[in-house]
Each structure stands twice: as C-alpha cells, then as structure tokens.
Amino acid sequence: MLSNVAVIIFDGLNPFEFGSACEAFGLDRRDHGVPLLDFAVCAPRVGSVRTRLGFGITADHDLGRVAEADLVAVPATGRGPEVPREVVAALQAAYERGARLLSYCSAAFTLGEAGLLDGRECTTHWMHTDELSERYPEAKVVPEVLYVDSGQVVTSAGTAAGLDASLHIWRQEYGAAVASTIARRMVVPPQRDGGQAQFIARAVPECDAETLGPLLGWIAANLGEELDVETLARRSLMSPRTFARRFRAETGATPHAWVTRQRLLRAEELLEQSDRSVEWIAREVGFGNAATLRHHFLKARGISPQAYRRSFAC
C-alpha cells in the first residue's frame, strides 16, 4: 500500500505541476481521516532548482531518497533531451525495483528519455502528443485523454489532469472515501475518468437553453432510474442526436460513459460504507443485477466488487 512518495525535480521545472504533486501527496490531512504519506522532494543535488518562471525551489534530498519511494512523481519540465543522466538512472532503477511512476504533463518526455514508455500506452498534453509519438516511436501514445494507467506507469495530460491521475492513484490505494475527501479539500471533482477528453468543445451551449448542469445533478441523485439517451433527451427537451452531441460538448464524455462512471463511483461508496449485498447495490445504482455490476467493475477496476469490499470496507 502506498506510503512513501518522492517527487523528482530539476532545472526547468513547471511550478504548477510541482504544486499539484505536493497538494495531492504531500499535505497532512489526518484530521480528515487521510493517511499521512512520507513525502520528499528530490533533485540531482540538494539545493535550489530553477523553475521556468525564474524563481527557485529548494530540494532537501538528493536522488538517493528515490530508492525508498513506492511512488515516484515527475512534474512537467521542458520537452528537450536535456534530462540529467542521474534522473534517468534514478527513474530506471525505481522502475526495475517495482516502484510506480507518475508523470505530470510534459514529464512524459522525461519517462520517454528513460525508455519507460516503450511498448506501453501513455499520454501527455494534447499539444504535444504528436511530438511524443515522433520522439518515442515505440510508445503507444493515446491522444486527448486525461491520463493513462498502464499499471506501473501512469501518465497524465496538462495541468489539472495531473490532479485527476493523482486522485485515481489514491482511489486505487485507499478507496473511494479517501479519494473523495482529498478532492473535497482541493475543491475539485472526486474523479474524472482517464478516458475523458482533455478539453470540451464549448463550455456554454450555442443557444440560450440552460446548460446540462441541473440534469447532471438529477442523474447523480437518480442513478437507479432508466438513464438511456432517449430518456435523458426527453427530459432535456431535445432530440436524442442533439442531446448526445451537446452532452459530449459540455462534459467531454458520452452520456453512457458518464452515467456508467457515476454508477461505479456510487457502487464503490456503498461497498465501502455499507454491508448491503452486491445484488442490492447493483439495483440501487442502476446496473440491475450483480452480474452487470461485476462486469463493469472488473472492466474499470480490475477486481470484483467483493474483492474491492474486502480491501476498502470501512
């Protein structure tokens, strides 16, 4: 279970992505029931690291500290090949001993320089996915998604997508309740699925009709209802085709994918916080029966609902 995190920084650091790593893994939230992680900022040499904005950040540890970490996070830097050799060696050693690696935005290029993207699905900011593919042709770049979890290596897209990937790791390690608590503290959505688009077509509909915000709230409160496109379109006074197009434009996901994700999130909470049967939970969240819930749960989480409950039940 995740207990020790090292963040590797070097000259050219992007301060926002570095701050995201600190916010996600470095703060003491024990007063809200979140486990405290052993967190360290590491650099090739102890001392000041220059950010891209010109100010410095002090690293209190050299790269020897990385050898203790369960998770090694790499914030964004430039995309050039000037990754320090010591950083490449530390990342390769961490990977070889089984540590998990997390890149924020253009830090995917750092993992690429270490040869850790070869043969695996990965992503980065949508502006740079073509370049990532060209630079590392053995990498399987997935464009325009928020993050990709390929097991030992997690790569995320620009800026806020790094928070989504971080919450994804928290959820895997400590369950939905802990991840949701951290999200509330950061005032961000509890979980955006990694396959969601990095950007949406427009934030406001083209006509004067109200946005889908009220409908999304209604869906979340009525997951046991019939929530197919035709039903939701009628509720929104739109044709199914117009509704599906607008839903994708405003949320970055299809109606089916969004509803399924909300049902899974609610199922996770019920598995953690109640002793209700899997069959009851499946009906409560709208999957209808335990077999359907089990299918979606295995696809999304890689384990059965019963195994999830054994790991994360309160």
Side-chain angles (χ1 to χ4, degrees):
M1 184 166 285
L2 178 65
S3 63
N4 193 308
V5 178
V7 179
I8 294 180
I9 63 175
F10 52 92
D11 287 342
L13 174 71
N14 279 6
F16 183 93
E17 283 78 7
F18 171 69
S20 296
C22 296
E23 179 76 21
F25 299 109
L27 295 187
D28 185 349
R29 296 188 173 97
R30 285 176 292 180
D31 57 336
H32 282 69
V34 177
L36 178 66
L37 304 179
D38 190 350
F39 180 86
V41 177
C42 311
R45 286 160 296 281
V46 172
S48 181
V49 170
R50 301 299 294 175
T51 70
R52 294 183 68 186
L53 298 185
F55 60 85
I57 292 175
T58 300
D60 291 334
H61 301 271
D62 64 20
L63 296 177
R65 171 63 173 75
V66 176
E68 304 173 19
D70 308 312
L71 174 68
V72 180
V74 189
T77 55
R79 303 186 310 281
E82 66 278 358
V83 181
R85 290 192 300 274
E86 309 98 300
V87 170
V88 169
L91 289 170
Q92 292 171 337
Y95 179 83
E96 288 300 321
R97 64 178 175 78
R100 204 168 192 191
L101 306 178
L102 168 63
S103 70
Y104 291 81
C105 194
S106 61
F109 288 82
T110 302
L111 298 186
E113 287 296 308
L116 301 177
L117 300 184
D118 292 352
R120 87 174 58 249
E121 291 189 344
C122 58
T123 196
T124 188
H125 193 288
W126 61 268
M127 290 176 60
H128 308 312
T129 50
D130 287 345
E131 182 183 350
L132 190 67
S133 294
E134 293 168 4
R135 288 265 299 276
Y136 311 106
E138 297 301 314
K140 300 176 181 178
V141 179
V142 183
E144 298 183 0
V145 297
L146 293 178
Y147 58 87
V148 173
D149 181 352
S150 63
Q152 196 177 342
V153 176
V154 180
T155 51
S156 64
T159 315
L163 293 175
D164 295 306
S166 301
L167 288 170
H168 168 73
I169 291 173
W170 271 108
R171 181 178 292 273
Q172 287 184 320
E173 295 286 337
Y174 287 99
V178 168
S180 296
T181 297
I182 296 169
R184 285 194 298 272
R185 285 284 298 265
M186 295 193 297
V187 197
V188 298
Q191 182 75 20
R192 291 193 298 172
D193 185 55
Q196 184 171 321
Q198 286 188 29
F199 56 89
I200 58 177
R202 56 185 182 277
V204 179
E206 292 175 346
C207 67
D208 292 333
E210 80 181 328
T211 69
L212 295 177
L215 176 68
L216 300 183
W218 180 85
I219 292 172
N222 295 274
L223 292 172
E225 301 289 333
E226 184 65 47
L227 299 175
D228 57 41
V229 170
E230 289 74 18
T231 300
L232 296 176
R234 284 196 302 271
R235 188 174 184 86
S236 302
L237 304 179
M238 301 179 196
S239 71
R241 179 175 295 182
T242 299
F243 172 79
R245 184 173 62 249
R246 179 161 296 171
F247 196 99
R248 176 79 180 190
E250 292 194 29
T251 68
T254 65
H256 175 73
W258 195 91
V259 169
T260 298
R261 185 62 187 162
Q262 299 310 305
R263 284 172 167 162
L264 283 169
L265 289 173
R266 181 57 181 153
E268 288 177 348
E269 293 175 353
L270 290 171
L271 287 166
E272 289 183 31
Q273 299 171 4
S274 79
D275 58 1
R276 294 281 193 170
S277 70
V278 173
E279 188 72 34
W280 184 92
I281 291 172
R283 293 194 302 269
E284 179 71 10
V285 303
F287 282 125
N289 56 66
T292 303
L293 171 59
R294 190 176 301 110
H295 166 77
H296 287 288
F297 216 92
L298 283 167
K299 183 178 179 181
R301 298 287 276 145
I303 59 175
S304 68
Q306 293 91 336
Y308 182 89
R309 170 172 270 168
R310 286 194 295 269
S311 297
F312 298 118
C314 296

